[in-house]
Amino acid sequence: MREKIYVEKAIKTEKNEVILIVNDDFLIKELTATGQVLVDSNELAFVYIVEKDDSFMYLELTLKTWPILKDGLVNNCEYKLSNGEETMVLPNLKEELLYLIDNIKGNSNYGEEMVTKVEECFCN
């Protein structure tokens, strides 16, 4: 099973950035961003894939982060990951989210609850 990294909170800065904040003891400098996002319908989450030591880890973007993610999409923000001391850019997150949101709308293959939650948050 892949290791999951849970985003504790998301904030939008005055610099037009969305910062996804993880536990302060998590070493971001060991990660490499892949630019790929998956959907986890069971957990109602988007999953940004990062690499660490030739293995993949899942950065879980759960429902609680979605309003800030949407604000970032609307305002064309840059997305970053931070533990409070280290920060890294998450390339392609915006493009991947837009693509997935468009695919999920009205698509029962993602599960009724995922479709409903995505439409409520991102399509209104």
Side-chain angles (χ1 to χ4, degrees):
M1 180 172 218
R2 304 254 186 250
E3 184 177 346
K4 294 181 179 181
I5 307 164
Y6 291 96
V7 174
E8 295 179 354
K9 67 179 177 178
I11 58 171
K12 183 174 174 287
T13 69
E14 293 177 5
K15 297 179 184 177
N16 214 34
E17 300 170 322
V18 170
I19 308 294
L20 305 172
I21 301 169
V22 294
N23 191 309
D24 60 3
D25 64 356
F26 194 84
L27 297 176
I28 290 175
K29 66 183 175 189
E30 296 178 355
L31 303 177
T32 302
T34 67
Q36 296 176 330
V37 179
L38 303 174
V39 175
D40 184 343
S41 296
N42 293 331
E43 297 292 326
L44 299 176
F46 292 102
V47 179
Y48 189 94
I49 301 172
V50 293
E51 192 173 351
K52 178 183 176 188
D53 299 328
D54 296 325
S55 65
F56 294 107
M57 300 175 74
Y58 292 162
L59 179 61
E60 292 276 320
L61 306 171
T62 59
L63 283 171
K64 69 181 179 182
T65 66
W66 289 11
I68 300 297
L69 293 176
K70 178 185 178 180
D71 192 20
L73 293 173
V74 169
N75 292 291
N76 199 29
C77 291
E78 181 175 46
Y79 291 87
K80 296 182 177 182
L81 181 65
S82 177
N83 64 6
E85 293 185 22
E86 304 168 326
T87 302
M88 71 180 273
V89 173
L90 298 173
N92 210 36
L93 178 55
K94 178 181 68 166
E95 294 80 5
E96 289 278 301
L97 282 175
L98 289 170
Y99 173 78
L100 289 170
I101 291 164
D102 191 50
N103 273 325
I104 292 169
K105 289 186 288 187
N107 187 342
S108 62
N109 290 334
Y110 288 96
E112 185 178 320
E113 189 174 15
M114 184 70 174
V115 172
T116 300
K117 296 294 185 188
V118 165
E119 289 176 347
E120 286 174 356
C121 181
F122 293 99
C123 303
N124 294 325

